[in-house]
Amino acid sequence: MTLTYNHLPIQLKNHYILARHGYSLANHDHLICSHPDIAIPPTGGPLGTGYGLHEKGKQQVKESATLLATHLDGKYDRLAPEPVKIFCSPFKRTVETAGIIRSTLTALGVPAIAEPTLHLALRERWFGDFDMTSDDNYDVCWADDATTPDHGEHSKHNVEAPTAVCDRATRFIVDEIEARMEGKIVVLVCHGDICQIAATAFMRIEPWRQREIKHVNTAEWRDTLEL
């Protein structure tokens, strides 16, 4: 079956880890925060410092990254230049998460990890009319994704379609990573829906089936070789 919105080749040159940001200030306030103009800046939010990580989330990420360091041991060439690369969404909560992952992996002996590379292609799914409303509205979006025949393609609430998320995420992987490097452990730090939808791409199933697969909770990661 050919999925025109999934651009991943059958044989990948790199080993991918999908990581979700830690528990955030938006999570704590039960808000959907998906617009770059709100989610990227270091201003606004409940503390005036942007919609970054909650203190609980920072600890979550450190603990999860410690597990990741153990998981990755022996899976990369320690003598290779930059054996582990980190890419992340430019939203404040993902940038902070990526920074903690980097510092934790480095402290635990993973060599030569550069500063995370930010890219808008890894941003949160756009939740349209539901942006900055209650996170109860995620259920409305996911119900729409599951409903035939549209599967969220023509949202009445201007929500980004699962196929559009899959298209931009997998194009980024192919154009910006697969075309430029090989033999790396690549950690992609992003958001709940894009983690789930990217996972469907690695599994070669339709993106609107994202809620059928194991949920990636805040600060959790998935090794795509084990999906």
Side-chain angles (χ1 to χ4, degrees):
M1 176 173 57
T2 300
L3 303 179
T4 57
Y5 37 78
N6 181 356
H7 305 286
L8 298 183
I10 298 300
Q11 295 296 325
L12 291 161
K13 298 177 183 178
N14 300 283
H15 178 177
Y16 292 89
I17 305 292
L18 300 172
R20 184 179 172 188
H21 65 78
Y23 184 79
S24 69
L25 294 171
N27 292 143
H28 189 69
D29 286 348
H30 299 285
L31 283 176
I32 295 174
C33 183
S34 64
H35 198 296
D37 289 351
I38 297 172
I40 291 176
T43 55
L47 304 178
T49 56
Y51 281 98
L53 293 180
H54 189 277
E55 288 302 316
K56 170 185 170 179
K58 295 175 183 178
Q59 184 60 35
Q60 276 186 329
V61 176
K62 186 174 181 179
E63 292 171 359
S64 181
T66 300
L67 296 175
L68 180 59
T70 300
H71 177 77
L72 295 181
D73 190 38
K75 292 182 171 64
Y76 58 87
D77 182 358
R78 298 188 65 85
L79 300 179
E82 294 188 85
V84 176
K85 299 284 289 184
I86 302 176
F87 295 84
C88 69
S89 157
F91 285 21
K92 188 175 182 188
R93 59 192 185 264
T94 36
V95 173
E96 291 180 343
T97 298
I100 296 171
I101 291 173
R102 176 180 181 260
S103 62
T104 303
L105 294 182
T106 299
L108 293 173
V110 180
I113 306 178
E115 290 285 341
T117 299
L118 282 57
H119 203 289
L120 199 58
L122 296 175
R123 69 190 181 276
E124 174 64 289
R125 181 182 185 182
W126 169 236
F127 283 99
D129 300 341
F130 295 128
D131 192 56
M132 300 308 291
T133 69
S134 169
D135 58 10
D136 288 341
N137 287 315
Y138 284 132
D139 292 331
V140 179
C141 303
W142 296 332
D144 194 27
D145 293 347
T147 302
T148 58
D150 282 351
H151 292 297
E153 288 298 305
H154 303 95
S155 169
K156 296 177 182 178
H157 305 285
N158 301 305
V159 177
E160 185 178 13
T163 52
V165 177
C166 185
D167 180 83
R168 63 172 161 91
T170 57
R171 281 187 187 276
F172 168 72
I173 292 170
V174 170
D175 294 345
E176 300 299 326
I177 304 176
E178 289 290 295
R180 301 184 182 192
M181 61 191 72
E182 61 182 299
K184 307 289 188 185
I185 301 286
V186 178
V187 183
L188 301 176
V189 184
C190 38
H191 307 263
D193 267 44
I194 187 169
C195 276
Q196 297 286 129
I197 290 170
T200 67
F202 283 97
M203 297 169 72
R204 311 286 168 177
I205 63 175
E206 296 89 345
W208 53 83
R209 295 177 61 189
Q210 57 139 325
R211 302 304 296 177
E212 298 176 23
I213 65 176
K214 186 177 180 181
H215 184 57
V216 184
N217 292 312
T218 53
E220 288 187 345
W221 49 266
R222 296 283 185 270
D223 187 327
T224 60
L225 297 182
E226 298 179 356
L227 291 172

